[in-house]
């Protein structure tokens, strides 16, 4: 087995089970490993530390698969995939959608598997996974015999850092339909696994869509009048549809993508109430501009969800991203009626929860409003974060009540 010798002063993270080994931590490469092959990670004294897959083209040259001296074969992949699936057992139900494998945080670095009803969508983020994806697909349909097809959505930018090009298409079984209908929190959604963002849907927000629904129910009880709701960066309407009820006056979805809004409209139709459906608006606009227009027009809302895309892709973009988040949140605060709630998110891994809270505080202060955090939010439990891998905690959010 080829060996990767770790510099003595860089051993600690490996011993503490961090799954990444950067080029700078490597003292010597022995045995000329082929890209994607399995390598042993050893100390300068030659002691076994871990085993993983190798990619000299990536800054993360080894992703660790195990800290035990055990073979990495079909049995190993099957065992690890089953271990991940077992933690999601409670999520298996007809038409359910959830993340079945969450990469590093499920000790399967580089591998994402999402389930949408009868289909799986696989994302290979690294060379090590890319080269094994057909074997992984075979194991997935062996352990999940009710799955009809496995579709690949490896068209995510980070693959570039591994020297990989985007790849999409059927990996195994039946082609998924144009839209897969799934159920989440008593709502129906159509998922376009071929053209949708990520693998089709923002599954990480499922728990927060349920929490949004509970806040709207609470506001329904607190306020006499029907509520006005604003869903910023709505994508296919996930939050708007989750909070739908008869005591809402209007829900406005705003997104830059026409395709996303068209699907949001179709999703809304699937969930329409038998009577007194609120007024639903789907606006294609730049949120930053629209918020200014709303402020000029004196628009007010009772519940605003602000779930922007990732603003900071690395540490160098944090300052600029922070200004973007502050601007957004400032304008949201200005549009809230007294007693209204802002549910605000950042999915930038480079912005910590602590920093995000500070940014939102700055926005609140500038808006001249008074506010309190009612709830701290994070990704749904099917997106676990391995304690040894804090990088996995990218999604953070706050529910802020303003008076
Ligand atoms: N809340 C959504 C996910 C939002 S993803 C859900 O629960 O499903 C972010 C969305 O922001 C994408 O749909 C993208 O099209 C949109 N977007 C990005 N920049 C934008 C901008 N400046 N104005 C409006 N929409 C934008």
């Amino acid at each position: 087995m080829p060996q990767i010798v770790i510099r003595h002063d860089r051993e600690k993270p490996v011993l503490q089970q961090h799954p990444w080994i950067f080029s700078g931590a490597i003292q010597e490469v022995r045995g000329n490993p082929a890209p994607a092959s399995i390598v042993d990670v050893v100390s300068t004294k030659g002691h076994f530390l871990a085993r993983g897959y190798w990619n000299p083209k990536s800054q993360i040259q080894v992703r660790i698969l195990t800290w035990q001296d055990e073979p990495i074969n079909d049995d190993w992949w099957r065992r690890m995939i089953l271990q991940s699936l077992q933690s999601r057992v409670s999520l298996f139900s007809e038409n359910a959608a959830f993340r079945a494998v969450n990469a590093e945080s499920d000790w399967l670095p580089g591998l994402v598997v999402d389930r949408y009803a009868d289909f799986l969508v696989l994302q290979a983020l690294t060379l090590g996974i890319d080269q094994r994806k057909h074997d992984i697909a075979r194991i997935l349909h062996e352990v999940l015999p009710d799955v009809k097809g496995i579709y690949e959505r490896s068209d995510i930018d980070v693959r570039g850092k591994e020297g990989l090009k985007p790849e999409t298409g059927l990996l195994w079984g039946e082609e998924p339909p144009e839209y897969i209908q799934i159920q989440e929190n008593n709502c129906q959604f159509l998922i376009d696994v071929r053209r949708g963002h990520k693998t089709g849907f923002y599954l990480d927000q499922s728990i927060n869509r349920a929490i949004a629904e509970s806040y709207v129910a609470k506001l329904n009880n607190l306020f006499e009048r029907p509520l006005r709701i604003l869903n910023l960066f709505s994508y296919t309407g996930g939050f708007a549809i989750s909070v739908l009820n008869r005591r809402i006056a209007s829900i406005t979805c705003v997104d830059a993508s026409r395709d996303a809004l068209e699907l949001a409209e179709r999703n809304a139709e699937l969930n329409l109430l038998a009577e007194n459906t609120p007024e639903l608006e789907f606006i294609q606009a730049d949120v930053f501009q629209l918020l200014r227009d709303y402020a000029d027009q004196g628009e007010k809302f009772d519940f605003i969800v602000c779930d922007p895309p990732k603003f900071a892709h690395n540490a160098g973009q944090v300052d600029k991203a922070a200004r973007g988040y502050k601007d957004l949140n400032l304008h949201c605060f200005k549009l809230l009626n007294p007693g209204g709630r802002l549910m605000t998110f950042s999915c930038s891994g480079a912005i910590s929860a602590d920093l995000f809270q500070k940014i939102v505080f700055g926005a609140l202060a500038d808006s001249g409003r008074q506010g309190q955090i009612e709830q701290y939010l994070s990704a749904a439990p099917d997106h676990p974060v391995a304690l040894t891998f804090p990088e996995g905690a990218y999604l953070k959010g706050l529910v802020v009540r303003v008076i």
Side-chain angles (χ1 to χ4, degrees):
M1 178 94 59
Q3 289 188 334
I4 308 300
V5 183
I6 296 297
R7 278 174 40 187
H8 183 63
D9 59 335
R10 299 289 286 270
E11 248 179 42
K12 199 170 168 201
V14 184
L15 296 170
Q16 291 182 334
Q17 304 208 347
H18 193 282
W20 292 349
I21 296 179
F22 288 91
S23 49
I26 296 175
Q27 175 155 317
E28 195 192 332
V29 178
R30 293 181 186 151
N32 194 22
S37 63
I38 300 295
V39 292
D40 275 358
V41 177
V42 300
S43 69
T44 47
K45 291 193 181 126
H47 296 306
F48 174 90
L49 299 174
R51 187 162 287 157
Y53 58 76
W54 168 246
N55 184 0
K57 280 204 184 132
S58 172
Q59 285 197 24
I60 303 171
Q61 297 201 325
V62 182
R63 308 236 179 185
I64 296 176
L65 297 168
T66 180
W67 287 264
Q68 324 275 326
D69 186 358
E70 59 180 340
I72 306 297
N73 50 22
D74 271 10
D75 268 358
W76 183 89
W77 290 95
R78 190 176 296 110
R79 198 158 26 88
M80 294 307 288
I81 287 168
L82 275 173
Q83 166 162 283
S84 187
L85 291 173
Q86 270 153 11
S87 69
R88 274 73 161 183
V89 163
S90 64
L91 300 171
F92 278 96
S93 66
E94 212 181 327
N95 294 344
F98 56 90
R99 175 148 297 187
V101 176
N102 194 33
E104 272 75 350
S105 285
D106 279 311
W107 302 284
L108 287 163
L111 176 65
V112 166
V113 182
D114 287 342
R115 179 159 189 162
Y116 295 106
D118 297 330
F119 291 87
L120 299 180
V121 182
L122 180 151
Q123 210 166 43
L125 305 174
T126 58
L127 180 72
I129 295 298
D130 199 72
Q131 292 216 345
R132 293 173 175 82
K133 65 192 175 191
H134 295 285
D135 290 332
I136 292 169
R138 173 175 46 78
I139 291 168
L140 281 166
H141 74 78
E142 277 168 20
V143 300
L144 293 169
D146 60 325
V147 160
K148 289 185 181 159
I150 305 178
Y151 193 81
E152 179 178 16
R153 276 298 302 273
S154 299
D155 52 348
I156 180 168
D157 289 346
V158 290
R159 276 172 60 100
K161 298 186 181 184
E162 290 273 315
L164 292 166
K165 294 199 168 56
E167 275 181 47
T168 61
L170 192 67
L171 273 180
W172 174 83
E174 276 176 40
E175 279 279 348
E178 186 177 8
Y179 297 109
I180 302 175
Q181 187 166 333
I182 60 117
Q183 175 165 338
E184 178 194 271
N185 309 324
N186 296 321
C187 298
Q188 302 293 318
F189 292 104
L190 296 175
I191 312 298
D192 180 347
V193 296
R194 288 184 188 76
R195 295 181 310 146
H197 296 179
K198 305 225 258 182
T199 62
F201 203 45
Y202 290 86
L203 289 171
D204 52 352
Q205 288 286 27
S206 62
I207 192 166
N208 297 321
R209 290 189 279 261
I211 292 171
E213 200 258 336
S214 71
Y215 273 93
V216 168
K218 182 154 121 179
L219 288 172
N220 279 143
N221 292 330
L222 288 171
F223 293 175
E224 302 271 290
R225 59 190 158 70
L227 305 176
R228 290 198 70 204
I229 294 173
L230 182 58
N231 184 11
L232 300 171
F233 308 95
S234 66
Y235 186 50
T236 56
F239 279 95
I241 288 155
S242 300
V243 304
L244 205 60
N245 74 45
R246 274 179 288 115
R247 289 164 65 199
I248 294 170
S250 69
I251 308 186
T252 304
C253 289
V254 186
D255 202 282
S257 158
R258 177 51 27 215
D259 286 350
L261 289 171
E262 272 168 18
L263 196 47
E265 270 187 73
R266 293 191 56 173
N267 281 332
E269 275 162 30
L270 270 183
N271 294 277
L272 279 192
L273 308 167
E275 52 188 34
N276 297 337
T277 283
E279 190 189 318
L280 294 168
E281 242 189 327
F282 301 89
I283 301 180
Q284 185 182 11
D286 172 35
V287 164
F288 289 87
Q289 185 54 49
L290 187 82
L291 288 176
R292 284 170 168 77
D293 296 345
Y294 277 174
D296 291 345
Q297 294 156 11
E299 297 279 358
K300 292 284 178 216
F301 297 89
D302 305 298
F303 188 71
I304 302 178
V305 178
C306 183
D307 182 25
K310 199 196 271 188
F311 288 165
H313 295 268
N314 54 55
Q317 297 175 348
V318 166
D319 287 347
K320 185 161 180 274
R323 286 194 294 276
Y325 288 120
K326 183 171 172 189
D327 184 72
L328 272 181
N329 285 283
L330 165 64
H331 285 90
C332 288
F333 284 133
K334 286 185 178 168
L335 296 180
L336 276 177
N337 281 319
R341 265 71 165 180
L342 171 62
M343 190 177 234
T344 183
F345 296 98
S346 162
C347 61
S348 303
I351 303 234
S352 67
D354 195 39
L355 176 57
F356 185 59
Q357 183 174 327
K358 289 192 175 104
I359 295 166
V360 175
F361 157 74
L364 182 78
D366 284 6
S367 73
R369 306 291 296 263
Q370 260 180 297
Q372 58 193 172
I373 295 169
E374 276 185 321
Q375 199 162 345
Y376 290 89
L377 307 169
S378 61
D382 56 340
H383 291 60
V385 179
L387 276 164
T388 52
F389 185 64
E391 293 86 343
Y394 60 96
L395 183 67
K396 68 282 302 176
L398 299 168
V399 179
V400 182
R401 169 177 173 260
V402 298
I403 58 167

